[in-house]
Amino acid sequence: VVELFTSQSCSSCPPAEAYLGRLAARADVIALEYHVDYWNDLVYGLAGKWVDPHSAPAYTERQRAYAARLGNEVGGGVYTPQMVIDGRLQAVGSRERDVETALKQARAAPHLSVRLATREGRKTELRVEGNQAFTNGDAEVVLVRFKRREETKIRAGENRGKVLVNHH
């Protein structure tokens, strides 16, 4: 699972968003894009202020929880564009080589197996299985709904005049 923390107000984020779009097309990656809200209050001189229509406080809180657990080699706190891989590794989302290295490390780590099946009577069963590495811990299962692709014309802020494409 690759989670990109991004904002339409961040001029460094469009390359990471494009890369996430390529990752989303891969069969071995579940790619998700979370738009944080801490960029929404910034004003860029004559370019004005842009409130990212996809941003939400819950996404910022998710990123802050990762920052508390993973630390941050970029300078402390939260940042964009940040990619979190399998909830255990992180990289600057526009540094593709670093993200690919983290993906390789994540593939080599122990994983849970999650199976979803519909049974008789239309009941759905969720089965989570893991090896010894997971027997004494908690697991969080998150159901995510997303749009595959959406374009937004940016009317203010650092990306003023651009059309940004967001994925998942």
PDB file of all heavy atoms in Angstrom, residues 122-135:
ATOM      1  N   ARG A 122     -25.559 -14.218   1.721  1.00  0.00           N
ATOM      2  CA  ARG A 122     -24.990 -12.912   1.371  1.00  0.00           C
ATOM      3  C   ARG A 122     -24.199 -12.279   2.513  1.00  0.00           C
ATOM      4  O   ARG A 122     -24.029 -11.077   2.585  1.00  0.00           O
ATOM      5  CB  ARG A 122     -26.064 -11.980   0.846  1.00  0.00           C
ATOM      6  CG  ARG A 122     -26.764 -12.559  -0.389  1.00  0.00           C
ATOM      7  CD  ARG A 122     -27.795 -11.657  -0.989  1.00  0.00           C
ATOM      8  NE  ARG A 122     -27.328 -10.384  -1.505  1.00  0.00           N
ATOM      9  CZ  ARG A 122     -26.681 -10.196  -2.655  1.00  0.00           C
ATOM     10  NH1 ARG A 122     -26.376 -11.226  -3.415  1.00  0.00           N
ATOM     11  NH2 ARG A 122     -26.356  -9.000  -3.054  1.00  0.00           N
ATOM     12  N   LYS A 123     -23.722 -13.086   3.444  1.00  0.00           N
ATOM     13  CA  LYS A 123     -22.850 -12.592   4.500  1.00  0.00           C
ATOM     14  C   LYS A 123     -21.438 -12.472   3.939  1.00  0.00           C
ATOM     15  O   LYS A 123     -21.003 -13.303   3.154  1.00  0.00           O
ATOM     16  CB  LYS A 123     -22.854 -13.535   5.695  1.00  0.00           C
ATOM     17  CG  LYS A 123     -24.159 -13.535   6.452  1.00  0.00           C
ATOM     18  CD  LYS A 123     -24.060 -14.427   7.665  1.00  0.00           C
ATOM     19  CE  LYS A 123     -25.374 -14.426   8.415  1.00  0.00           C
ATOM     20  NZ  LYS A 123     -25.305 -15.279   9.604  1.00  0.00           N
ATOM     21  N   THR A 124     -20.739 -11.457   4.382  1.00  0.00           N
ATOM     22  CA  THR A 124     -19.366 -11.259   3.941  1.00  0.00           C
ATOM     23  C   THR A 124     -18.436 -11.603   5.085  1.00  0.00           C
ATOM     24  O   THR A 124     -18.659 -11.211   6.222  1.00  0.00           O
ATOM     25  CB  THR A 124     -19.148  -9.803   3.498  1.00  0.00           C
ATOM     26  OG1 THR A 124     -20.056  -9.507   2.438  1.00  0.00           O
ATOM     27  CG2 THR A 124     -17.725  -9.582   3.023  1.00  0.00           C
ATOM     28  N   GLU A 125     -17.405 -12.356   4.760  1.00  0.00           N
ATOM     29  CA  GLU A 125     -16.427 -12.770   5.760  1.00  0.00           C
ATOM     30  C   GLU A 125     -15.092 -12.140   5.415  1.00  0.00           C
ATOM     31  O   GLU A 125     -14.652 -12.171   4.279  1.00  0.00           O
ATOM     32  CB  GLU A 125     -16.305 -14.284   5.740  1.00  0.00           C
ATOM     33  CG  GLU A 125     -15.261 -14.824   6.693  1.00  0.00           C
ATOM     34  CD  GLU A 125     -15.172 -16.331   6.607  1.00  0.00           C
ATOM     35  OE1 GLU A 125     -16.027 -16.995   7.201  1.00  0.00           O
ATOM     36  OE2 GLU A 125     -14.259 -16.821   5.908  1.00  0.00           O
ATOM     37  N   LEU A 126     -14.467 -11.561   6.417  1.00  0.00           N
ATOM     38  CA  LEU A 126     -13.136 -10.997   6.271  1.00  0.00           C
ATOM     39  C   LEU A 126     -12.200 -11.840   7.112  1.00  0.00           C
ATOM     40  O   LEU A 126     -12.414 -12.014   8.311  1.00  0.00           O
ATOM     41  CB  LEU A 126     -13.106  -9.546   6.759  1.00  0.00           C
ATOM     42  CG  LEU A 126     -11.744  -8.872   6.756  1.00  0.00           C
ATOM     43  CD1 LEU A 126     -11.250  -8.683   5.331  1.00  0.00           C
ATOM     44  CD2 LEU A 126     -11.830  -7.544   7.477  1.00  0.00           C
ATOM     45  N   ARG A 127     -11.182 -12.374   6.484  1.00  0.00           N
ATOM     46  CA  ARG A 127     -10.220 -13.215   7.196  1.00  0.00           C
ATOM     47  C   ARG A 127      -8.834 -12.582   7.061  1.00  0.00           C
ATOM     48  O   ARG A 127      -8.374 -12.303   5.969  1.00  0.00           O
ATOM     49  CB  ARG A 127     -10.223 -14.614   6.599  1.00  0.00           C
ATOM     50  CG  ARG A 127      -9.307 -15.561   7.351  1.00  0.00           C
ATOM     51  CD  ARG A 127      -9.510 -16.940   6.849  1.00  0.00           C
ATOM     52  NE  ARG A 127     -10.868 -17.332   7.247  1.00  0.00           N
ATOM     53  CZ  ARG A 127     -11.269 -18.570   7.411  1.00  0.00           C
ATOM     54  NH1 ARG A 127     -10.424 -19.541   7.196  1.00  0.00           N
ATOM     55  NH2 ARG A 127     -12.487 -18.853   7.763  1.00  0.00           N
ATOM     56  N   VAL A 128      -8.202 -12.356   8.213  1.00  0.00           N
ATOM     57  CA  VAL A 128      -6.864 -11.791   8.250  1.00  0.00           C
ATOM     58  C   VAL A 128      -5.946 -12.833   8.860  1.00  0.00           C
ATOM     59  O   VAL A 128      -6.187 -13.318   9.961  1.00  0.00           O
ATOM     60  CB  VAL A 128      -6.827 -10.494   9.091  1.00  0.00           C
ATOM     61  CG1 VAL A 128      -5.425  -9.919   9.122  1.00  0.00           C
ATOM     62  CG2 VAL A 128      -7.821  -9.473   8.560  1.00  0.00           C
ATOM     63  N   GLU A 129      -4.905 -13.191   8.124  1.00  0.00           N
ATOM     64  CA  GLU A 129      -3.962 -14.199   8.594  1.00  0.00           C
ATOM     65  C   GLU A 129      -2.550 -13.647   8.494  1.00  0.00           C
ATOM     66  O   GLU A 129      -2.237 -12.872   7.607  1.00  0.00           O
ATOM     67  CB  GLU A 129      -4.077 -15.466   7.732  1.00  0.00           C
ATOM     68  CG  GLU A 129      -5.465 -16.096   7.776  1.00  0.00           C
ATOM     69  CD  GLU A 129      -5.639 -17.194   6.735  1.00  0.00           C
ATOM     70  OE1 GLU A 129      -4.806 -17.294   5.815  1.00  0.00           O
ATOM     71  OE2 GLU A 129      -6.605 -17.935   6.860  1.00  0.00           O
ATOM     72  N   GLY A 130      -1.720 -14.055   9.430  1.00  0.00           N
ATOM     73  CA  GLY A 130      -0.340 -13.604   9.402  1.00  0.00           C
ATOM     74  C   GLY A 130       0.577 -14.635  10.015  1.00  0.00           C
ATOM     75  O   GLY A 130       0.132 -15.622  10.591  1.00  0.00           O
ATOM     76  N   ASN A 131       1.870 -14.377   9.894  1.00  0.00           N
ATOM     77  CA  ASN A 131       2.847 -15.282  10.492  1.00  0.00           C
ATOM     78  C   ASN A 131       3.188 -14.816  11.907  1.00  0.00           C
ATOM     79  O   ASN A 131       2.544 -13.929  12.443  1.00  0.00           O
ATOM     80  CB  ASN A 131       4.087 -15.391   9.594  1.00  0.00           C
ATOM     81  CG  ASN A 131       4.786 -14.054   9.442  1.00  0.00           C
ATOM     82  OD1 ASN A 131       4.634 -13.155  10.260  1.00  0.00           O
ATOM     83  ND2 ASN A 131       5.545 -13.918   8.384  1.00  0.00           N
ATOM     84  N   GLN A 132       4.202 -15.372  12.492  1.00  0.00           N
ATOM     85  CA  GLN A 132       4.590 -15.066  13.872  1.00  0.00           C
ATOM     86  C   GLN A 132       4.801 -13.576  14.119  1.00  0.00           C
ATOM     87  O   GLN A 132       4.586 -13.097  15.209  1.00  0.00           O
ATOM     88  CB  GLN A 132       5.873 -15.806  14.233  1.00  0.00           C
ATOM     89  CG  GLN A 132       5.684 -17.278  14.468  1.00  0.00           C
ATOM     90  CD  GLN A 132       4.800 -17.531  15.675  1.00  0.00           C
ATOM     91  OE1 GLN A 132       3.626 -17.794  15.527  1.00  0.00           O
ATOM     92  NE2 GLN A 132       5.363 -17.436  16.858  1.00  0.00           N
ATOM     93  N   ALA A 133       5.215 -12.832  13.111  1.00  0.00           N
ATOM     94  CA  ALA A 133       5.499 -11.409  13.288  1.00  0.00           C
ATOM     95  C   ALA A 133       4.251 -10.620  13.660  1.00  0.00           C
ATOM     96  O   ALA A 133       4.341  -9.512  14.182  1.00  0.00           O
ATOM     97  CB  ALA A 133       6.108 -10.837  12.010  1.00  0.00           C
ATOM     98  N   PHE A 134       3.078 -11.185  13.417  1.00  0.00           N
ATOM     99  CA  PHE A 134       1.846 -10.450  13.657  1.00  0.00           C
ATOM    100  C   PHE A 134       0.980 -11.045  14.765  1.00  0.00           C
ATOM    101  O   PHE A 134      -0.098 -10.544  15.029  1.00  0.00           O
ATOM    102  CB  PHE A 134       1.013 -10.389  12.373  1.00  0.00           C
ATOM    103  CG  PHE A 134       1.679  -9.594  11.295  1.00  0.00           C
ATOM    104  CD1 PHE A 134       2.337 -10.235  10.259  1.00  0.00           C
ATOM    105  CD2 PHE A 134       1.667  -8.217  11.321  1.00  0.00           C
ATOM    106  CE1 PHE A 134       2.962  -9.498   9.261  1.00  0.00           C
ATOM    107  CE2 PHE A 134       2.289  -7.478  10.332  1.00  0.00           C
ATOM    108  CZ  PHE A 134       2.936  -8.113   9.307  1.00  0.00           C
ATOM    109  N   THR A 135       1.426 -12.098  15.421  1.00  0.00           N
ATOM    110  CA  THR A 135       0.551 -12.770  16.383  1.00  0.00           C
ATOM    111  C   THR A 135       0.307 -11.975  17.646  1.00  0.00           C
ATOM    112  O   THR A 135      -0.705 -12.153  18.294  1.00  0.00           O
ATOM    113  CB  THR A 135       1.105 -14.162  16.763  1.00  0.00           C
ATOM    114  OG1 THR A 135       2.425 -13.987  17.279  1.00  0.00           O
ATOM    115  CG2 THR A 135       1.098 -15.082  15.576  1.00  0.00           C
TER     116      THR A 135
END
